[in-house]
Amino acid sequence: MLRTLKLRWLALAGLGLALAALANACGGGGSGLSAEEYFQKLQAIVDETVQKETAAVPSEEEAANFTLDEQKQTGIEFLTSLASINEEAIGGVEDLNPPDDIQDAHDDLVAAGKELTSTFGDFADQAQDIAPEDIEEFFNTQVFGASTFAGFDEACSAVQDIADDKGIDVDLSCEPEE
C-alpha cells in the first residue's frame, strides 16, 4: 500500500518534471533561441527538476513506518512542493523565447503547466479535509487519475514531438512510467 503510493509519487514527479525543470534553466528571453538551444535548455532543466522532485519523495523506509496521519501530511507536503516547483517553473517558461515554429506548442505547455500547478494546489487544499484513513484512496482516485495529467501530457508530448521531428535528442519525461 505505501510502496504503491511511493511509486505513484515518483510517477507524479516525472509528470511535472519537464515543466518544473524548464523554468530553472531557461532564464530570460532576449532574442529568440534556436530550436537546438531551446531544447538543450529544456533537457538541462528536466534533469535538474528530476533531482528536486525526487528529493521531495520520502524513502521507502520512511514511508513504511508512516502512521495514517503522517501519510496524509506527507502527501499534502508533496503536493504543495509540486505546486511550488511548477509555479516557479512557469514563470521561467513564460520568459523563454522559443523559435516561431515552436511558439504555439510552447504557449500550450505554459497554459497546461499553469492548470496542473493549480490542480496540485487544489488537491493539497482538498487533502486537508480528507480523513487520514481515506487519504490513500484520495491519491489513487483523484490525484493520480489520468484526467489530472491529460492536458499537461498532451502539451508536453507536442513539444517532445517537435524535438523528435527536428532530430533533436531530448527526453522531456512527458508521461509517467507505470
Side-chain angles (χ1 to χ4, degrees), residues 115 148 157 163:
E115 181 66 30
T148 299
S157 293

Side-chain angles (χ1 to χ4, degrees), residues 86-148:
N86 279 285
E87 184 175 0
E88 181 181 330
I90 290 298
V93 172
E94 285 183 309
D95 291 341
L96 190 60
N97 192 4
D100 290 343
D101 63 332
I102 300 173
Q103 187 67 54
D104 288 345
H106 167 84
D107 291 345
D108 290 346
L109 182 65
V110 170
K114 285 182 178 184
E115 181 66 30
L116 186 60
T117 297
S118 176
T119 299
F120 289 150
D122 291 347
F123 281 144
D125 291 343
Q126 291 172 23
Q128 297 287 342
D129 296 329
I130 303 293
E133 60 272 11
D134 297 329
I135 199 69
E136 185 174 1
E137 180 180 345
F138 172 74
F139 270 80
N140 288 333
T141 61
Q142 299 294 313
V143 176
F144 298 122
S147 64
T148 299

Side-chain angles (χ1 to χ4, degrees), residues 5-171:
L5 189 55
K6 170 149 172 69
L7 292 174
R8 291 298 218 142
W9 281 352
L10 289 172
L12 180 62
L15 283 176
L17 200 57
L19 187 59
L22 258 160
N24 296 330
C26 291
S31 62
L33 298 170
S34 70
E36 185 70 35
E37 291 167 329
Y38 177 83
F39 286 110
Q40 284 175 355
K41 288 180 182 270
L42 289 178
Q43 187 65 65
I45 298 166
V46 166
D47 294 344
E48 181 180 333
T49 301
V50 168
Q51 293 173 357
K52 287 180 179 181
E53 291 188 343
T54 299
V57 178
S59 71
E60 284 189 42
E61 295 79 30
E62 291 172 319
N65 295 317
F66 283 163
T67 65
L68 291 175
D69 286 331
E70 291 169 330
Q71 188 177 8
K72 174 182 173 175
Q73 186 58 40
T74 300
I76 292 168
E77 290 169 3
F78 180 70
L79 288 168
T80 302
S81 249
L82 287 178
S84 177
I85 289 168
N86 279 285
E87 184 175 0
E88 181 181 330
I90 290 298
V93 172
E94 285 183 309
D95 291 341
L96 190 60
N97 192 4
D100 290 343
D101 63 332
I102 300 173
Q103 187 67 54
D104 288 345
H106 167 84
D107 291 345
D108 290 346
L109 182 65
V110 170
K114 285 182 178 184
E115 181 66 30
L116 186 60
T117 297
S118 176
T119 299
F120 289 150
D122 291 347
F123 281 144
D125 291 343
Q126 291 172 23
Q128 297 287 342
D129 296 329
I130 303 293
E133 60 272 11
D134 297 329
I135 199 69
E136 185 174 1
E137 180 180 345
F138 172 74
F139 270 80
N140 288 333
T141 61
Q142 299 294 313
V143 176
F144 298 122
S147 64
T148 299
F149 306 102
F152 179 81
D153 288 347
E154 183 178 331
C156 184
S157 293
V159 173
Q160 178 70 57
D161 289 347
I162 292 170
D164 295 345
D165 291 346
K166 291 180 176 290
I168 299 172
D169 186 26
V170 295
D171 180 2

